[in-house]
Amino acid sequence: MYKILRDCQVKPMELFQLYLYLSPQMAMPHINLLTWNLPQLEAQLPWRYLTITMFSPLSTEYIVAFNGYFTAKARSHFISSALKSSEALDWRIVPRKNPASDFPSDFEVVQIRQASHSSLLTLEDHPYIKRVTPQRKVFRTLNYTPDLPDPGATCNNDTRWTQKWQSWQSSRPLRRTSLSLAFGFWHATGRHSSRRLLRAIPRHVAQILQADVLWQMGYTGSGVKVAVFDTGLSEKHPHFKNVKERTNWTNEKTLDDGLGHGTFVAGVIASMRECQGFAPDSELHIFRVFTNNQVSYTSWFLDAFNYAILKKIDVLNLSIGGPDFMDHPFVDKVWELTANRVIMVSAIGNDGPLYGTLNNPADQMDVIGVGGIDFEDNIARFSSRGMTTWELPGGYGRVKPDIVTYGSGVRGSGMKEGCRSLSGTSVASPVVAGAVTLLVSTVLNRELVNPASMKQALIASARRLPGVNMFEQGHGKLDLIRAYQILNSYKPQASLSPSYIDLTECPYMWPYCSQPIYYGGMPTIVNVTILNGMGVTGRILDKPIWQPYLPQNGDHIDVAVSYSPVLWPWAGYLAVSISVAKKAASWEGIAQGHVMVTVASPAGNNVGGEMTSTVKLPVKVKIVPTPPRSKRVLWDQYHNLRYPPGYFPRDNLRMKNDPLDWNGDHIHTNFRDMYQHLRSMGYFVEVLGAPITCFDASQYGTFMMVDSEEEYFPEEITKLRRDIDKGLSLIVFSDWYNTSVMRKVKFYDENTRQWWMPDTGGANVPALNDLISVWGMAFSDGLYEGDFTMADHDMYYASGCSIAKFPEDGIVIAKTLKDQGLEVLKQETAVVEGVPILGMYQTPSEGGGRIALYGDSNCIDDSHRQKDCFWLLDALLQYTSYSMTPPSLIHSNSRVTPPTGTDRPLPERLEGNHLYRYSKVLEAHLGDPKPRPLPACPHLSWSKPQPLNETAPRFFYLHMYPSTLEG
């Protein structure tokens, strides 16, 4: 370790603190660098387990975005005049020395020492200032996965150590470091860094995708400007003959690539020899936006993006990603880039196989999001899956990735010469970017090429992979030659993604195809993307029209459509809600129809007038008679919160490298396996994306609340109590909530340079206790973990709470567990006998429902599940839906007298938490946050049907290749 620090020329006085990330078997407190003893540390620790995190105590920096492009003098004047009357006396504009400095800009970086809320509001009140957001560091990371660090190399004389260490770091999501917790308990390697990847024999990907066919036709990328936003490129690399410009946007004084990733990406796109790229004659513009340590700031990207617009870049590759789709300056700039006709290609992320793990900006509708496959056409295990989480918790997300291509064991240029192989969606992304660059060079009329038309050609030509759903493969595998054929007969038009809705087509249309629809069920929502190849801006003429096919029983379904008032840039949305008409309450069969949408865009070339394009969205559903109440389960989505924007901590505190709960907590993301199990058991699962006041409880046997972080409206609490008195049953899977642990798991966020305190625990236990208190029930603030056996099933309790209070005539099961809270707070181990973890209760009112409580949701959550407890969920549903008490639980030796809640206080909300900032229920007051007024329930405006007495098309899949796209 001493050798590493010495060779890397690390000076103690430049650092604030050093923290050690150790193996699970090791523990070491943090080290104050003013008194460190490197030789002593070297003797104590096998350094190959170390990750060194260093930061300096900096003031808070903010990105001040303006409403237009202004000179540096004007920007300074605006900020000075805005802050003149504020409390921010100690502030400065951070100098930015880069190639964009000489041009007008639409933002500044302002450093404010101890910025007050009022000073930020003063800035935002200025008429020329659009938004003020924290400067972000290490926000997005390179989505690739090489080998683990090599302990035999050092910094000065061998860059391999740096390369491998940093690439290992890149496999960890979010890049947030918990600097407040210095013990090995918090820093053991978790799921993401130990992920096993699918490997493949390295092959020349350009030839496999038949780029040589286009080369033989004379197309090699000539005349196309392609930007590589990455880690740089050496000046005299032998693989490249047309590097037009290399620019550095970092704080390192070099243009060269010290990591190798940027070189590899550029090689996949444009290498002319050895591991040949797709477009060797393209004009390469190298943007070094990451340091050798993979550090980057949002402001670096913003300046580089502005410069790319000035340079009229045609194609831009971003092999990066992160979970934060609410970094407004970054996302706004991505929109502006594509609005300026830059075709942006980005990696979808390496957080698979978990669903709901899409990275930004690849999840943007105007960006081409790329997933990875191996050379046997299997979806790569690491490739992130959909659905997008933008629309959650209101219902369902959209289809992403857009397409998939080779991303496992792909060969590309080495850092100095030769070839190497890498895996990851950051490998798949330049494969598509190179293909796009090559395709652009084949089009004579470049005015026809834009972000929408290119995406239309790619998804219309993609080859569907068998047995894979749309949230894994998008529209399918990249087919370069078919894309060329479509693009070269292209006429400007609108299209849809997906281009049809077939709820009977499995597995491609999963999850929609996994459950038929029926009268009285929650509407099925399919979010469709409108791609507008006619222009950067557009609108929908009139309203979309619903036309049911009468011979195919189309009048048995009702359809409601909401849509973007403006399509910009190049895209918009069409949300289709489908319900069964009352006349089909006891009917079974297939119903079909289509939605007609007409898109208009201003005609180009100063011609005036508008171009229009009418697209048809076929709809096909399977209808069954309404199932009995006992078979219907309603999932509460409304009260699930996740990052972004707040700090909602992970549910399993053993997962050290995954600090935030960010997968959506949806039955089709990280609870996908549970959903599949319930469907296999014959249950019908519906999603409630509205308050509890908005559903008819008489329709459902069981209401499921899992891992809820949100508060509850008083009206919701009253309504649920009344519903349970009338026969609705309730299952609650909770998680930990302990204010001392919450303070302990705060972390220094290098993005915002602030300490983040959790806004809830794993679940919002105080809010849950308010909900269930009327029945004499409550969860505790205990935090427990351990293996045990229940009803002959091996179980694992992962950071769960216990039941503190339960009715005396209820059934309570207790187990012996470890006190994880004590371990976290004091690094002491204690075993606790008789921890109540499961409770079942029949409410006393005549015909009343049943309630089941369990203190841990990790056993049904795909994120970090070690041992599933689906058998327990089955048993609880038998109890709640059919009043069948499992004998194995009633007669269990672990059954104990229900706790009375008198041994310790019930958990209280963390004082000073900021949940109100992100809550749909709370609003800020001078004192404690108070509930907002109860919102109105969603009201769908059903489209007036315009029936067609004609037969529906036989093959919806063929609709993916409309003849208009082919000229």
Side-chain angles (χ1 to χ4, degrees):
M1 173 179 150
Y2 174 80
K3 185 179 181 184
I4 299 168
L5 296 172
R6 182 195 64 205
D7 290 348
C8 293
Q9 299 180 354
V10 176
K11 298 180 178 64
M13 295 302 292
E14 293 179 345
L15 308 180
F16 185 63
Q17 283 179 323
L18 176 79
Y19 288 86
L20 304 180
Y21 287 64
L22 310 176
S23 70
Q25 292 76 33
M26 301 172 61
M28 179 87 179
H30 72 272
I31 300 160
N32 187 326
L33 292 187
L34 299 181
T35 60
W36 64 352
N37 185 326
L38 286 181
Q40 181 181 354
L41 290 176
E42 184 178 21
Q44 288 177 339
L45 298 170
W47 68 264
R48 67 173 179 271
Y49 290 116
L50 298 181
T51 296
I52 304 169
T53 298
M54 300 166 282
F55 68 96
S56 302
L58 300 174
S59 301
T60 303
E61 293 181 359
Y62 294 89
I63 293 175
V64 179
F66 298 96
N67 288 317
Y69 285 79
F70 301 97
T71 64
K73 183 177 180 179
R75 299 194 306 268
S76 177
H77 173 71
F78 296 154
I79 293 171
S80 298
S81 60
L83 291 176
K84 187 177 297 182
S85 60
S86 77
E87 302 172 7
L89 301 178
D90 190 1
W91 64 271
R92 72 183 184 101
I93 293 176
V94 179
R96 309 196 314 274
K97 299 296 183 183
N98 56 52
S101 301
D102 296 333
F103 299 96
S105 179
D106 60 345
F107 79 97
E108 279 289 7
V109 178
V110 178
Q111 185 182 83
I112 307 176
R113 293 192 180 275
Q114 297 179 342
S116 67
H117 185 61
S118 61
S119 63
L120 299 182
L121 289 177
T122 302
L123 272 174
E124 290 184 331
D125 285 342
H126 193 281
Y128 287 108
I129 294 177
K130 178 170 65 174
R131 185 182 289 118
V132 179
T133 54
Q135 163 82 304
R136 296 180 182 269
K137 179 184 177 183
V138 200
F139 172 55
R140 290 178 170 79
T141 54
L142 301 167
N143 285 321
Y144 76 115
T145 52
D147 297 330
L148 285 175
D150 178 2
T154 60
C155 296
N156 277 351
N157 58 15
D158 194 334
T159 59
R160 289 177 297 165
W161 188 89
T162 303
Q163 296 171 30
K164 295 184 179 181
W165 176 47
Q166 295 302 334
S167 63
W168 173 66
Q169 287 283 81
S170 77
S171 71
R172 296 163 53 205
L174 301 173
R175 241 55 50 210
R176 302 186 186 278
T177 305
S178 179
L179 298 186
S180 67
L181 302 167
F183 294 90
F185 176 91
W186 294 101
H187 304 304
T189 300
R191 171 178 65 90
H192 291 281
S193 58
S194 62
R195 187 179 296 121
R196 294 172 61 90
L197 304 179
L198 295 178
R199 301 292 181 179
I201 299 172
R203 301 170 69 181
H204 294 293
V205 68
Q207 285 90 340
I208 293 172
L209 289 171
Q210 296 182 286
D212 51 337
V213 174
L214 297 183
W215 298 340
Q216 292 167 11
M217 297 168 63
Y219 303 119
T220 54
S222 180
V224 182
K225 298 179 180 180
V226 56
V228 177
F229 276 56
D230 220 289
T231 57
L233 179 69
S234 63
E235 183 177 10
K236 296 180 180 179
H237 198 290
H239 287 186
F240 305 97
K241 62 180 178 181
N242 197 14
V243 179
K244 188 70 175 180
E245 185 177 27
R246 296 185 307 146
T247 53
N248 178 36
W249 305 87
T250 74
N251 55 12
E252 293 180 338
K253 298 185 182 303
T254 180
L255 292 165
D256 291 346
D257 180 7
L259 185 63
H261 189 273
T263 305
F264 180 93
V265 168
V268 171
I269 295 172
S271 172
M272 67 174 182
R273 60 174 61 136
E274 293 185 272
C275 34
Q276 195 163 1
F278 283 84
D281 288 326
S282 60
E283 189 178 288
L284 264 180
H285 293 252
I286 303 298
F287 289 71
R288 190 174 189 269
V289 291
F290 276 102
T291 67
N292 289 336
N293 291 334
Q294 288 197 54
V295 172
S296 188
Y297 287 89
T298 296
S299 61
W300 296 356
F301 274 99
L302 299 184
D303 274 330
F305 283 154
N306 283 340
Y307 192 71
I309 293 173
L310 286 169
K311 290 292 183 177
K312 299 186 183 301
I313 294 297
D314 298 305
V315 182
L316 192 155
N317 182 79
L318 281 175
S319 288
I320 64 170
D324 191 350
F325 52 73
M326 296 184 71
D327 180 12
H328 296 294
F330 186 94
V331 173
D332 286 352
K333 190 58 65 174
V334 168
W335 291 348
E336 185 180 348
L337 272 165
T338 55
N340 280 275
R341 305 183 75 90
V342 178
I343 301 170
M344 186 174 290
V345 183
S346 187
I348 208 68
N350 288 351
D351 294 300
L354 189 64
Y355 281 69
T357 52
L358 301 175
N359 281 204
N360 180 274
D363 62 349
Q364 299 289 312
M365 293 304 110
D366 51 324
V367 174
I368 299 171
V370 184
I373 60 174
D374 62 22
F375 286 106
E376 285 71 49
D377 287 354
N378 302 305
I379 300 295
R381 181 174 174 80
F382 56 74
S383 187
S384 290
R385 272 71 164 170
M387 53 186 54
T388 63
T389 54
W390 287 74
E391 290 84 1
L392 304 182
Y396 302 84
R398 297 190 230 182
V399 175
K400 279 279 182 170
D402 294 301
I403 57 173
V404 294
T405 193
Y406 302 120
S408 185
V410 171
R411 286 174 64 80
S413 298
M415 189 158 60
K416 298 297 183 182
E417 59 185 0
C419 299
R420 60 184 295 201
S421 64
L422 287 180
S423 296
T425 54
S426 74
V427 175
S429 179
V431 169
V432 172
V436 166
T437 303
L438 182 58
L439 287 170
V440 172
S441 70
T442 70
V443 181
L444 295 178
N445 183 4
R446 294 287 175 87
E447 288 297 316
L448 293 176
V449 180
N450 58 56
S453 64
M454 181 58 70
K455 183 184 283 192
Q456 286 173 328
L458 291 177
I459 66 178
S461 61
R463 297 280 185 180
R464 178 85 60 85
L465 299 177
V468 181
N469 72 56
M470 59 185 179
F471 292 119
E472 294 179 299
Q473 67 167 310
H475 293 268
K477 173 186 172 183
L478 171 68
D479 188 321
L480 180 62
I481 301 304
R482 292 178 75 183
Y484 159 75
Q485 293 167 345
I486 288 177
L487 199 59
N488 277 271
S489 57
Y490 178 79
K491 295 177 181 177
Q493 64 195 269
S495 65
L496 304 174
S497 170
S499 59
Y500 65 93
I501 299 171
D502 185 352
L503 306 193
T504 71
E505 183 189 6
C506 269
Y508 182 71
M509 280 278 172
W510 187 94
Y512 299 106
C513 63
S514 63
Q515 182 169 293
I517 62 175
Y518 41 84
Y519 176 69
M522 292 287 169
T524 295
I525 304 169
V526 183
N527 287 298
V528 176
T529 299
I530 305 171
L531 297 172
N532 178 22
M534 298 180 292
V536 65
T537 185
R539 63 189 177 92
I540 293 180
L541 288 180
D542 302 319
K543 291 182 178 180
I545 300 170
W546 163 239
Q547 295 185 297
Y549 298 130
L550 293 182
Q552 274 73 42
N553 308 298
D555 56 341
H556 285 49
I557 53 177
D558 296 321
V559 170
V561 180
S562 59
Y563 52 90
S564 307
V566 176
L567 310 182
W568 186 91
W570 309 102
Y573 71 86
L574 188 72
V576 182
S577 299
I578 306 169
S579 282
V580 176
K582 187 175 181 179
K583 64 189 291 186
S586 58
W587 182 78
E588 181 171 357
I590 303 296
Q592 299 185 61
H594 65 238
V595 176
M596 297 286 287
V597 183
T598 300
V599 176
S601 277
N605 300 321
N606 300 317
V607 175
E610 287 186 320
M611 294 186 290
T612 62
S613 176
T614 299
V615 289
K616 183 188 298 184
L617 179 71
V619 176
K620 182 179 181 181
V621 301
K622 181 180 180 181
I623 299 173
V624 297
T626 303
R629 179 182 188 183
S630 58
K631 283 289 187 183
R632 295 177 64 179
V633 177
L634 186 61
W635 171 273
D636 178 22
Q637 189 67 34
Y638 187 78
H639 295 93
N640 287 336
L641 301 174
R642 83 274 180 253
Y643 176 88
Y647 176 13
F648 303 105
R650 61 186 181 266
D651 301 324
N652 184 348
L653 291 175
R654 283 285 175 195
M655 297 298 110
K656 318 306 179 219
N657 296 329
D658 206 354
L660 302 180
D661 190 1
W662 65 284
N663 302 127
D665 283 348
H666 193 283
I667 58 171
H668 299 143
T669 58
N670 54 302
F671 288 96
R672 175 180 181 268
D673 289 351
M674 179 213 70
Y675 168 75
Q676 292 284 77
H677 176 81
L678 291 180
R679 286 295 301 130
S680 71
M681 298 302 292
Y683 291 100
F684 294 82
V685 188
E686 301 174 38
V687 175
L688 178 65
I692 293 173
T693 51
C694 296
F695 76 94
D696 179 3
S698 67
Q699 297 287 313
Y700 301 94
T702 301
F703 186 47
M704 279 191 69
M705 309 186 75
V706 177
D707 189 21
S708 303
E709 296 91 0
E710 180 63 280
E711 294 283 336
Y712 300 91
F713 292 102
E715 297 90 342
E716 290 185 294
I717 296 174
T718 302
K719 162 79 159 39
L720 186 61
R721 291 171 178 174
R722 187 170 61 246
D723 290 341
I724 290 177
D725 284 343
K726 294 181 180 179
L728 178 69
S729 289
L730 174 67
I731 292 178
V732 178
F733 279 81
S734 184
D735 269 302
W736 67 273
Y737 189 101
N738 182 288
T739 54
S740 297
V741 172
M742 290 163 68
R743 292 187 182 95
K744 188 70 174 177
V745 301
K746 70 178 181 180
F747 66 85
Y748 185 83
D749 175 22
E750 295 189 49
N751 289 349
T752 59
R753 295 193 181 128
Q754 296 173 353
W755 287 97
W756 275 34
M757 186 77 73
D759 298 301
T760 71
N764 191 340
V765 170
L768 285 172
N769 285 348
D770 289 347
L771 195 70
I772 61 179
S773 62
V774 71
W775 297 287
M777 301 178 183
F779 290 105
S780 78
D781 67 352
L783 204 166
Y784 301 97
E785 180 248 351
D787 295 289
F788 60 92
T789 301
M790 182 186 293
D792 296 327
H793 292 271
D794 292 333
M795 301 280 284
Y796 176 68
Y797 213 66
S799 306
C801 66
S802 64
I803 296 173
K805 188 177 180 182
F806 209 72
E808 62 180 9
D809 54 340
I811 300 169
V812 173
I813 303 297
K815 292 294 177 180
T816 298
L817 298 169
K818 289 185 291 186
D819 188 335
Q820 194 177 39
L822 185 67
E823 185 179 357
V824 171
L825 297 172
K826 298 183 178 181
Q827 292 72 54
E828 297 177 2
T829 301
V831 175
V832 183
E833 296 182 353
V835 180
I837 59 174
L838 172 65
M840 296 181 289
Y841 178 64
Q842 169 68 64
T843 58
S845 55
E846 184 178 352
R850 288 151 295 283
I851 301 174
L853 307 182
Y854 190 67
D856 177 31
S857 72
N858 284 281
C859 61
I860 58 172
D861 186 339
D862 301 347
S863 298
H864 306 297
R865 186 179 63 242
Q866 297 186 34
K867 297 175 183 176
D868 77 69
C869 63
F870 297 152
W871 72 269
L872 177 60
L873 180 57
D874 292 342
L876 297 183
L877 282 169
Q878 286 288 310
Y879 177 71
T880 57
S881 295
Y882 298 101
S883 192
M884 297 172 59
T885 308
S888 59
L889 297 178
I890 290 180
H891 305 298
S892 170
N893 293 331
S894 302
R895 183 172 176 179
V896 298
T897 302
T900 60
T902 57
D903 58 335
R904 60 191 294 180
L906 297 179
E908 296 182 356
R909 291 166 177 85
L910 179 66
E911 184 177 352
N913 77 78
H914 296 144
L915 183 62
Y916 65 89
R917 294 180 179 175
Y918 325 113
S919 171
K920 301 181 289 293
V921 176
L922 299 177
E923 62 182 357
H925 280 263
L926 293 178
D928 293 330
K930 303 295 183 185
R932 303 173 188 268
L934 181 71
C937 295
H939 175 72
L940 292 174
S941 178
W942 300 108
S943 300
K944 184 178 180 180
Q946 297 183 13
L948 295 175
N949 193 18
E950 61 183 58
T951 301
R954 288 188 62 190
F955 301 107
F956 277 9
Y957 177 62
L958 297 179
H959 189 76
M960 291 186 68
Y961 311 103
S963 58
T964 50
L965 266 183
E966 299 176 16

